[in-house]
Amino acid sequence: PGAMSPALAKEAPREGSEGGSRGRSWGLLVTAGVGGALVALYAVATPFVTPALRKVCLPFVPATAAQIQNVLKMLENRSGSLVDIGSGDGRIVIAAAKKGFQAVGYELNPWLVWYSRYRAWRDGVHQNTKFYISDLWKVSFSHYRNVVVFGVPQMMPKLEKKLEEELECNARIIACRFPFPCWIPDHTTGEGIDTVWAYDLKHSRGCETKSLKITPETES
C-alpha cells in the first residue's frame, strides 16, 4: 500500500528538475538585474568622483557656496560673455547666468555636461547658458571677456600662457583654489580653499605700459 506506482516514480524526478530549473532561471535573472543596476550606478556616479581623462588630471570637486559668491564678487561691474573652464556640474555658469551673463561651460566629462544642462533647465537659465563637451586645450577662448578657472597647480603655467596669447586686453581671468604662477592678481578675496584671484589681462600683459612707451617716441 505504501509503494509508489511506476508512473509516479517516473514523474517525481522530472518535477524536481523543473523546479530546480525555474529556481536557477530566477536566480540568473536576479543576478543579471542586480549586476545591470550596479553597472548603471557606476556609470552615473563615476564621473562625479573620479577625474575625467585629460592631459593634466583635473578632478571634479564641486565649488562651495563661498567660492561661488567670491567669483560673483569678482564679476561685479563686469559685462560681456563668460566662460568657465572645466565647468563640472555647471554651478558657476548657472550662477553667472542668473546675474545676466551669457555663460558657457567647457567640460570633458559628458555626464557632467548633461547634468549641467539639466540643472540650467531646472533653474530657468537654459537660454543664457551653453555647455560643451570639449578638451580645454583644443578650444580658443579669444572671444570671452570673463574667464573662470578651477584648476590644479600642474596646469596653471600652460593655461596662463594659452590665455595670454588668446584673450583681448579687456579680459578678466578669475582663478579659484590655485593662483597663476607668474601673473600678479589685481584683486583677491576669500580665505583658504575659497580664495579667488582676479587678473585683469591689460595689467598682466602690460598693455598700458606698452602704450605709454610708444607715446614719447611718436611725439619726438
Side-chain angles (χ1 to χ4, degrees):
M4 183 181 293
S5 68
L8 290 175
K10 291 180 181 179
E11 291 295 330
R14 188 164 60 184
E15 288 177 1
S17 176
E18 288 178 354
S21 178
R22 285 196 296 269
R24 284 193 297 273
S25 297
W26 278 108
L28 290 173
L29 286 173
V30 170
T31 302
V34 171
L38 289 174
V39 169
L41 179 62
Y42 178 81
V44 172
T46 295
F48 292 87
V49 295
T50 59
L53 297 176
R54 293 174 170 88
K55 291 182 180 179
V56 177
C57 179
L58 183 59
F60 167 58
V61 181
T64 66
Q67 285 170 341
I68 295 173
Q69 291 305 312
N70 289 336
V71 169
L72 294 178
K73 183 177 180 180
M74 294 300 188
L75 291 171
E76 290 178 358
N77 302 318
R78 298 283 300 176
S79 60
S81 56
L82 176 143
V83 61
D84 183 8
I85 299 176
S87 54
D89 63 357
R91 59 187 65 191
I92 291 290
V93 173
I94 291 170
K98 290 179 179 179
K99 294 295 183 179
F101 288 92
Q102 288 292 326
V104 175
Y106 285 93
E107 169 61 47
L108 189 60
N109 195 313
W111 290 97
L112 290 173
V113 170
W114 295 330
Y115 182 64
S116 299
R117 291 169 179 167
Y118 161 73
R119 290 190 64 179
W121 171 81
R122 184 193 64 187
D123 289 4
V125 293
H126 58 284
Q127 294 182 342
N128 296 330
T129 60
K130 291 182 180 178
F131 296 94
Y132 297 105
I133 304 171
S134 184
D135 186 330
L136 69 89
W137 306 112
K138 298 178 181 178
V139 177
S140 172
F141 302 107
S142 58
H143 56 287
Y144 294 103
R145 285 197 61 209
N146 304 282
V147 179
V148 180
V149 181
F150 277 79
V152 292
Q154 298 92 323
M155 68 180 283
M156 300 306 271
K158 184 178 178 181
L159 184 59
E160 183 179 66
K161 182 179 179 181
K162 174 180 171 66
L163 294 177
E164 188 168 12
E165 291 175 349
E166 294 179 353
L167 297 176
E168 297 293 334
C169 274
N170 62 356
R172 171 171 287 187
I173 303 99
I174 300 171
C176 306
R177 297 199 181 102
F178 298 100
F180 285 98
C182 297
W183 291 339
I184 299 174
D186 294 275
H187 310 279
T188 304
T189 188
E191 298 179 353
I193 63 169
D194 296 325
T195 303
V196 171
W197 298 266
Y199 305 85
D200 290 328
L201 198 57
K202 63 183 179 181
H203 298 151
S204 300
R205 183 186 282 165
C207 297
E208 292 180 346
T209 304
K210 290 177 182 177
S211 64
L212 288 173
K213 287 181 179 179
I214 295 174
T215 303
E217 293 178 5
T218 305
E219 290 177 350
S220 60

